[in-house]
Amino acid sequence: MQKKLDQFKRMIMEVTDLGHAEAVLGWDQQVYMPRGGGEDRGDILETIASLAHQKFTCKEMGELLAELKPYAQTLDADSDDACLIQRVAHRYDKETRVPTEWVVDFTRVTTLAQMAWEEARAKSDFAIFQPHLEKVVDLRRAYASFFQPYDHVYDPLLDGFEPGLKTAEVQQIFDALRPQQVALLKEIAAKPEIDDAFMHVPYDEQGQWDFGVEVITRFGYDWNRGRQDKSVHPFTTSFGINDVRITTRFDPSRAASALFSTMHEAGHAMYEQGFSASLRRLPLADGASMAVHESQSRMWENLVGRSKAFWKFFYPRLVQKFPQQLKGVSLEQYYRGINKVEPSLIRVEADEATYNLHIMLRLELEIGLMDGSVRVADLPGLWNKKMQEYLGVTPPNDRLGVLQDVHWSGGMIGYFPTYALGNLVSAQLWEKIMENIPDLEDQISRGKFDDLLAWLRTHIHRHGAKYEPQQLIKKVTGTGIRPDPYMRYLRAKYAEIYNL
Amino acid sequence: MQKKLDQFKRMIMEVTDLGHAEAVLGWDQQVYMPRGGGEDRGDILETIASLAHQKFTCKEMGELLAELKPYAQTLDADSDDACLIQRVAHRYDKETRVPTEWVVDFTRVTTLAQMAWEEARAKSDFAIFQPHLEKVVDLRRAYASFFQPYDHVYDPLLDGFEPGLKTAEVQQIFDALRPQQVALLKEIAAKPEIDDAFMHVPYDEQGQWDFGVEVITRFGYDWNRGRQDKSVHPFTTSFGINDVRITTRFDPSRAASALFSTMHEAGHAMYEQGFSASLRRLPLADGASMAVHESQSRMWENLVGRSKAFWKFFYPRLVQKFPQQLKGVSLEQYYRGINKVEPSLIRVEADEATYNLHIMLRLELEIGLMDGSVRVADLPGLWNKKMQEYLGVTPPNDRLGVLQDVHWSGGMIGYFPTYALGNLVSAQLWEKIMENIPDLEDQISRGKFDDLLAWLRTHIHRHGAKYEPQQLIKKVTGTGIRPDPYMRYLRAKYAEIYNL
């Protein structure tokens, strides 16, 4: 059996290597590739992806898994080998249920859909995107059918991003959260608006870059095993546990944008730098789920990076870098400025108090598309109606409304809820962390983050994708994902900022 | 047959894609990879290389080639398809003659040999490297034996870099060249030394970078299909004909080093950017040989970049960038400075008049190692003796002598002669170019390079690797590689500079 396990690992490692090659090719594509290189790059990526798929779904892999699955039952359930076999078997089952023709169709349809979406968004004309999105939805419904029987047609999609989590669980969480978030927002809206004019003056790029680097270096981002570059959309990518890179972007008139994005991506990256070395070259060297991944980025960006303790330490340093821009702005004013709540049209610009509402709206529409209760043609109207209902604003056009996100054009239905769940998990972990490190706030106000990072390494990072997300979160906090810690966090924070 | 040809091309394109993926991974490794990423990167590269080898040498490829080879005979010999089948069949024959065990041994031995060479060079202690080099030589002799019968044991090695060229031909060329180069050098040595002190003061990096970019942009390097980065050793790499990148390095006290290196690499890169679009994703989108490749880089670096016409145009621009460094230095003085002849110990720093002598010495030693007339243990002594004989200098230690080059540690025996052949080819092409574009010198002195680049595109670049190098050169110049144009070029140039 050891020989079979070794052979299985060798095959899985080759698939992992190909995935890492794809990641390098994709990173370069977004960061340094000259414009002319696109067509060749597409060919290379297609060849590698197809080889990886062939290798992963080959007959030998199926036979090895059939023999290894019963063997895994005899192992310690927490052992790397048991988790590896189980996670690979789950993915193998998923990938082999999907016919090759569907994959080919899906690739073709989403390639065209993305081009149509770009045009539609530029022209703010949903009609251009509509027929493509209809095909995407049809394909995604067909995809779900490969996994029948299911409790909910949305379950197989959600499973692609949150292994094991059910639609009913997400709905229950969101149903509890929604009224509380809406109520909080109403209370805040009744209060005087915060002045954050100092955020909207030019901050030079090098100063932003240097400050961001100083912050994440103190966080514990390991530059010996990573680097930062610029790209149009910030992202984190990894080519192995010892090469985890981030990107950022600069908007001269929105200085906070690059800084918080750098902290966010460093949060993702420190997660991946923290996987146990024993998981190297295995698919277990991955985040437990998108929500758990997002919990790490959100924690460093928001619970740490937008806290008063953090700025007690860093604000004097920021003022030193930008004395003109911050002249006469007190720490208190700065803190309130970066935490200003303002219902807005665009998800990626939303503050902590409104962000989840953007997500709930999307989840409801996605579920409607999947269960047939919502037609693609009705999306723009429904979108605007829900925006008014949840956030009190109505998009003046579809570019600022239903066309703002790239996800649907790429067929990524099921992804959105993980953003909000990530927020919830971050606060849930944070309560546990505060129990375990009572003086953390004081540490942060002295620029010390090693205890926090060590806690995350021990309880979250090193496990990688060994456990399903709900299982991991329960292991650490005693329950599955729940909304109350996040609401407590928001309430406490904004009560102070807005004198609620 | 068309169906078989299509299938053959599909397979070859996948192999090409994998090669391009390796190139991207290698570029990143040398340019941006953080230190910690080395081990993972090694795994990824090994997996991709092994998949590419499997794909290329698989049974189906052999069967297709067996059917396609007779078919190729029925095609126009100049057609892409005929050339493709012939070149792939040649490579397939080579790769399948070599047993897998040899490849495994070779990889292991050269990996260790490279580490040993690094240590030996650092300590200037040949004894550390000697046992490893002995194994490399044994393996290379075994390699040659797979290609018996051959005219010369060195032929199979040379063929890896100069397809079709024979050792006897190279020896004949070098035998004609050597006495003329040695005689020229003696004449120059009798003349007063040129003062190039202005070359050895600090030049700031950004100014060097900007000037290099201005020069190669005027040459015609296409930035839409390439980019330049920094690396420890400058190189050119390509990920397809529309993404051909170069790197450069800076030495603050040797300003010429970066500039000429940038022109050199741009010469390589413009060759690859000039392959016919019909060769995309095929192994024909490659240089005809290392010598032909080197002829392009040397032409732009030396025949263009070290010419008086070139500096008539660019020197005033250089002075504008570096007014302090070049204060009081006339165009004539500058021109003489960058063309100063000075027998030196290190090949990569050698001038045009001495460079080939470094190569001849290496070729003689390599042939001796392969035919058994030279023992590895005798290399340091022989090296120093020949250095004195050809160049009139004796290395004070092995670091500056036999240990200076990386090639042997990597098993690259057969590579060196292509550097010198590249010089010869550059001059041979140049005579033809001057016939076809009589006012080229005048064009160059006005900063115009389009006629030159267009000529190279038409006669050399677009063909890629369709023809064997000797065949291509004969097609263009009427004969195979010959030494007299290079000697005429050197004689004329140095007669003027040194008043010979």
Side-chain angles (χ1 to χ4, degrees):
Chain A
M1 196 54 76
Q2 188 59 45
K3 238 180 101 180
K4 298 215 186 271
L5 184 61
D6 289 345
Q7 170 61 5
F8 166 72
K9 282 189 188 170
R10 255 195 308 277
M11 290 176 67
I12 275 296
M13 282 176 174
E14 284 189 5
V15 175
T16 306
D17 289 340
L18 290 173
H20 287 153
E22 277 186 81
V24 175
L25 289 158
W27 171 85
D28 177 73
Q29 187 172 32
Q30 290 189 65
V31 175
Y32 289 121
M33 189 182 77
R35 261 175 306 161
E39 190 183 1
D40 287 314
R41 187 57 53 94
D43 292 329
I44 306 170
L45 281 165
E46 200 180 310
T47 291
I48 303 257
S50 132
L51 280 173
H53 180 74
Q54 278 169 36
K55 273 215 166 280
F56 185 76
T57 56
C58 70
K59 213 167 132 258
E60 191 185 353
M61 181 70 85
E63 290 162 0
L64 283 167
L65 279 168
E67 299 195 70
L68 288 168
K69 271 195 290 188
Y71 168 69
Q73 301 298 323
T74 70
L75 299 173
D76 173 4
D78 285 336
S79 68
D80 288 356
D81 286 348
C83 294
L84 176 67
I85 294 164
Q86 200 185 324
R87 295 306 289 255
V88 171
H90 180 71
R91 197 181 125 200
Y92 180 85
D93 175 59
K94 289 191 80 159
E95 291 205 17
T96 50
R97 274 181 194 234
V98 181
T100 307
E101 307 83 69
W102 184 91
V103 176
V104 173
D105 274 3
F106 184 73
T107 305
R108 207 193 48 243
V109 165
T110 53
T111 302
L112 295 175
Q114 283 183 57
M115 284 159 53
W117 168 74
E118 277 172 29
E119 190 193 340
R121 191 169 82 139
K123 298 183 179 166
S124 195
D125 182 357
F126 185 75
I128 296 171
F129 184 42
Q130 185 181 321
H132 295 273
L133 184 53
E134 281 165 355
K135 283 187 197 153
V136 169
V137 170
D138 286 346
L139 278 167
R140 273 305 183 193
R141 291 177 68 172
Y143 176 87
S145 73
F146 305 139
F147 297 90
Q148 269 167 335
Y150 42 65
D151 298 335
H152 192 290
V153 61
Y154 192 75
D155 282 352
L157 278 71
L158 188 60
D159 191 80
F161 306 101
E162 284 304 302
L165 194 68
K166 299 291 176 202
T167 308
E169 296 176 280
V170 179
Q171 285 175 317
Q172 200 186 352
I173 293 165
F174 282 11
D175 285 346
L177 193 61
R178 192 180 309 101
Q180 298 184 61
Q181 290 231 230
V182 172
L184 175 65
L185 197 52
K186 287 218 170 106
E187 287 179 60
I188 292 172
K191 294 287 179 172
E193 202 181 327
I194 288 172
D195 176 13
D196 66 344
F198 62 87
M199 302 291 295
H200 302 281
V201 296
Y203 287 70
D204 77 87
E205 194 173 306
Q206 190 61 48
Q208 292 191 47
W209 177 279
D210 292 343
F211 187 73
V213 165
E214 185 189 338
V215 168
I216 66 174
T217 304
R218 279 192 177 267
F219 280 176
Y221 177 74
D222 183 352
W223 295 97
N224 192 34
R225 301 191 290 135
R227 51 178 288 120
Q228 181 177 249
D229 296 272
K230 288 193 279 177
S231 65
V232 178
H233 300 287
F235 64 95
T236 299
T237 185
S238 115
F239 316 147
I241 57 178
N242 294 316
D243 191 351
V244 185
R245 305 187 187 182
I246 60 175
T247 70
T248 190
R249 68 171 160 198
F250 295 98
D251 181 338
S253 65
R254 293 182 64 235
S257 158
L259 173 59
F260 288 103
S261 152
T262 296
M263 292 198 267
H264 181 96
E265 300 306 332
H268 282 305
M270 289 187 290
Y271 185 9
E272 306 225 348
Q273 288 183 333
F275 298 146
S276 161
S278 67
L279 309 181
R280 205 178 80 83
R281 277 183 93 195
L282 297 175
L284 298 182
D286 197 359
S289 72
M290 297 311 300
V292 176
H293 231 307
E294 197 71 8
S295 78
Q296 299 305 294
S297 56
R298 293 280 170 169
M299 184 182 289
W300 291 98
E301 176 193 357
N302 291 334
L303 285 90
V304 174
R306 290 185 202 268
S307 72
K308 202 182 274 176
F310 175 91
W311 287 107
K312 265 186 197 153
F313 182 80
F314 279 108
Y315 189 61
R317 287 169 158 75
L318 188 70
V319 172
Q320 234 170 16
K321 277 230 151 59
F322 298 106
Q324 296 308 315
Q325 291 87 339
L326 297 170
K327 202 176 211 165
V329 179
S330 70
L331 166 60
E332 187 62 30
Q333 283 173 302
Y334 182 80
Y335 171 68
R336 286 162 51 90
I338 59 166
N339 282 297
K340 179 178 179 177
V341 173
E342 195 170 34
S344 65
L345 300 168
I346 303 295
R347 174 184 62 85
V348 297
E349 292 167 9
D351 53 73
E352 288 179 90
T354 57
Y355 189 92
N356 288 350
L357 294 167
H358 289 267
I359 296 304
M360 292 174 195
L361 172 160
R362 285 159 178 75
L363 175 67
E364 288 161 31
L365 295 177
E366 285 190 346
I367 289 179
L369 289 171
M370 289 299 291
D371 71 16
S373 64
V374 169
R375 291 181 320 141
V376 169
D378 298 333
L379 282 178
L382 283 171
W383 184 285
N384 294 354
K385 189 168 150 278
K386 279 182 195 284
M387 279 299 287
Q388 187 57 47
E389 193 182 326
Y390 295 167
L391 286 150
V393 290
T394 298
N397 57 50
D398 289 341
R399 196 170 67 78
L400 298 171
V402 69
L403 288 171
Q404 69 183 264
D405 292 308
V406 68
H407 302 61
W408 290 343
S409 72
M412 288 198 289
I413 298 173
Y415 192 118
F416 281 125
T418 71
Y419 291 125
L421 294 171
N423 286 333
L424 305 190
V425 174
S426 74
Q428 197 170 335
L429 293 175
W430 195 252
E431 288 194 349
K432 191 75 197 169
I433 293 167
M434 294 303 273
E435 267 176 56
N436 291 166
I437 317 174
D439 69 334
L440 181 60
E441 205 176 295
D442 179 55
Q443 292 185 21
I444 290 176
S445 71
R446 287 180 291 113
K448 298 279 287 171
F449 303 93
D450 11 347
D451 281 3
L452 172 58
L453 183 58
W455 190 97
L456 293 170
R457 290 267 188 265
T458 306
H459 294 89
I460 304 290
H461 298 180
R462 69 187 170 97
H463 300 307
K466 282 177 70 171
Y467 306 109
E468 286 195 340
Q470 288 284 78
Q471 199 187 349
L472 176 68
I473 293 159
K474 192 167 179 189
K475 227 176 144 76
V476 180
T477 70
T479 71
I481 302 176
R482 56 182 213 275
D484 40 311
Y486 191 64
M487 278 316 301
R488 278 196 286 272
Y489 161 71
L490 284 188
R491 275 260 151 223
K493 179 166 187 172
Y494 291 111
E496 199 255 333
I497 292 175
Y498 279 96
N499 292 308
L500 302 181
Chain B
M1 196 52 76
Q2 188 58 45
K3 238 179 103 180
K4 298 216 185 271
L5 184 62
D6 289 345
Q7 170 61 5
F8 166 72
K9 282 190 189 170
R10 255 196 307 278
M11 289 175 67
I12 275 296
M13 283 177 174
E14 284 189 3
V15 175
T16 307
D17 290 339
L18 290 173
H20 287 153
E22 278 186 80
V24 175
L25 289 158
W27 171 85
D28 177 73
Q29 187 172 31
Q30 290 189 65
V31 175
Y32 290 121
M33 189 182 77
R35 262 174 308 162
E39 190 183 1
D40 286 316
R41 187 57 53 93
D43 292 329
I44 306 171
L45 281 165
E46 200 180 309
T47 291
I48 304 259
S50 133
L51 280 173
H53 180 75
Q54 279 169 36
K55 272 215 166 280
F56 185 76
T57 57
C58 70
K59 214 166 131 261
E60 190 185 354
M61 181 70 84
E63 290 162 0
L64 283 168
L65 280 168
E67 298 194 70
L68 287 168
K69 271 195 288 189
Y71 167 69
Q73 301 297 324
T74 70
L75 299 173
D76 174 3
D78 285 336
S79 68
D80 289 356
D81 287 349
C83 293
L84 176 67
I85 294 164
Q86 200 186 324
R87 295 305 290 254
V88 172
H90 180 71
R91 197 180 124 200
Y92 180 85
D93 175 59
K94 290 193 79 159
E95 290 205 17
T96 50
R97 274 181 193 235
V98 180
T100 307
E101 307 82 70
W102 184 91
V103 176
V104 172
D105 274 4
F106 184 72
T107 306
R108 205 193 49 243
V109 165
T110 52
T111 302
L112 295 174
Q114 284 184 57
M115 284 159 53
W117 168 74
E118 277 172 29
E119 191 193 340
R121 191 169 82 140
K123 297 183 178 166
S124 194
D125 182 355
F126 186 74
I128 296 171
F129 184 42
Q130 184 181 322
H132 294 275
L133 184 53
E134 281 165 354
K135 283 186 200 155
V136 169
V137 170
D138 285 346
L139 278 167
R140 273 304 182 194
R141 293 177 66 171
Y143 176 86
S145 73
F146 305 139
F147 296 90
Q148 267 167 335
Y150 42 65
D151 298 334
H152 192 290
V153 61
Y154 192 74
D155 282 352
L157 278 72
L158 188 60
D159 191 82
F161 306 101
E162 284 304 300
L165 193 69
K166 299 292 175 201
T167 306
E169 296 175 279
V170 179
Q171 285 176 316
Q172 200 186 352
I173 293 165
F174 282 12
D175 284 347
L177 193 61
R178 191 182 309 102
Q180 298 184 61
Q181 290 230 227
V182 171
L184 175 66
L185 196 53
K186 286 216 171 108
E187 286 179 62
I188 291 172
K191 295 287 179 174
E193 203 182 327
I194 287 172
D195 176 13
D196 67 342
F198 62 86
M199 302 291 295
H200 302 281
V201 297
Y203 288 70
D204 76 87
E205 194 172 305
Q206 189 61 47
Q208 292 191 48
W209 177 279
D210 293 343
F211 187 73
V213 164
E214 186 189 338
V215 167
I216 66 173
T217 303
R218 279 191 177 267
F219 280 177
Y221 176 74
D222 183 352
W223 295 98
N224 193 32
R225 302 190 291 136
R227 53 177 287 121
Q228 181 177 250
D229 296 272
K230 288 193 278 178
S231 65
V232 177
H233 301 286
F235 64 95
T236 299
T237 185
S238 115
F239 316 148
I241 57 178
N242 295 316
D243 191 351
V244 186
R245 305 188 188 182
I246 60 175
T247 70
T248 190
R249 68 172 159 196
F250 295 97
D251 181 338
S253 65
R254 292 181 66 234
S257 158
L259 173 59
F260 289 103
S261 152
T262 296
M263 292 197 268
H264 181 97
E265 300 306 332
H268 281 304
M270 289 187 290
Y271 185 9
E272 307 225 349
Q273 288 183 333
F275 297 147
S276 162
S278 66
L279 309 181
R280 204 177 80 83
R281 278 183 93 195
L282 297 175
L284 297 182
D286 197 358
S289 72
M290 296 311 300
V292 175
H293 231 307
E294 198 70 9
S295 78
Q296 300 305 295
S297 56
R298 294 280 170 168
M299 184 181 290
W300 291 98
E301 175 192 358
N302 291 332
L303 285 89
V304 174
R306 290 185 202 269
S307 73
K308 203 182 274 178
F310 175 91
W311 287 106
K312 266 187 199 153
F313 183 80
F314 279 108
Y315 190 61
R317 287 171 159 74
L318 187 70
V319 173
Q320 234 170 16
K321 277 232 152 57
F322 299 106
Q324 296 308 316
Q325 290 88 339
L326 297 169
K327 202 176 212 166
V329 179
S330 69
L331 166 60
E332 187 62 30
Q333 284 173 302
Y334 182 80
Y335 171 68
R336 285 162 53 90
I338 58 166
N339 283 297
K340 179 179 180 178
V341 174
E342 195 169 35
S344 64
L345 300 168
I346 303 295
R347 173 184 61 86
V348 297
E349 292 167 9
D351 53 73
E352 289 179 90
T354 56
Y355 189 91
N356 287 351
L357 295 167
H358 290 267
I359 296 305
M360 293 174 194
L361 172 160
R362 285 159 178 75
L363 176 67
E364 287 161 32
L365 296 177
E366 285 190 347
I367 290 178
L369 289 170
M370 288 299 291
D371 71 16
S373 63
V374 169
R375 292 182 319 142
V376 169
D378 299 332
L379 282 178
L382 283 171
W383 183 285
N384 294 353
K385 190 169 151 280
K386 279 182 196 283
M387 280 299 286
Q388 187 58 47
E389 194 182 325
Y390 296 167
L391 285 150
V393 291
T394 298
N397 57 50
D398 288 340
R399 195 170 67 78
L400 298 170
V402 69
L403 288 172
Q404 68 183 264
D405 292 309
V406 69
H407 302 62
W408 290 343
S409 72
M412 289 199 287
I413 298 173
Y415 192 117
F416 281 125
T418 71
Y419 291 126
L421 294 170
N423 286 332
L424 306 190
V425 174
S426 73
Q428 197 170 335
L429 292 175
W430 195 253
E431 289 194 348
K432 191 74 197 169
I433 293 167
M434 294 302 274
E435 267 176 57
N436 293 167
I437 318 174
D439 69 334
L440 180 59
E441 206 176 294
D442 179 55
Q443 292 186 21
I444 291 176
S445 70
R446 287 181 288 113
K448 298 279 287 172
F449 303 93
D450 11 347
D451 281 3
L452 172 58
L453 183 58
W455 191 97
L456 293 170
R457 290 266 189 265
T458 305
H459 294 89
I460 304 290
H461 298 180
R462 69 187 169 96
H463 300 307
K466 283 178 69 171
Y467 307 109
E468 287 194 341
Q470 289 284 76
Q471 198 186 350
L472 175 67
I473 293 159
K474 192 165 179 190
K475 225 176 146 77
V476 180
T477 69
T479 71
I481 302 176
R482 56 181 214 275
D484 41 309
Y486 191 65
M487 278 316 302
R488 278 196 287 272
Y489 160 71
L490 284 187
R491 274 260 151 223
K493 178 167 188 172
Y494 291 111
E496 199 255 332
I497 292 174
Y498 279 95
N499 293 308
L500 302 182

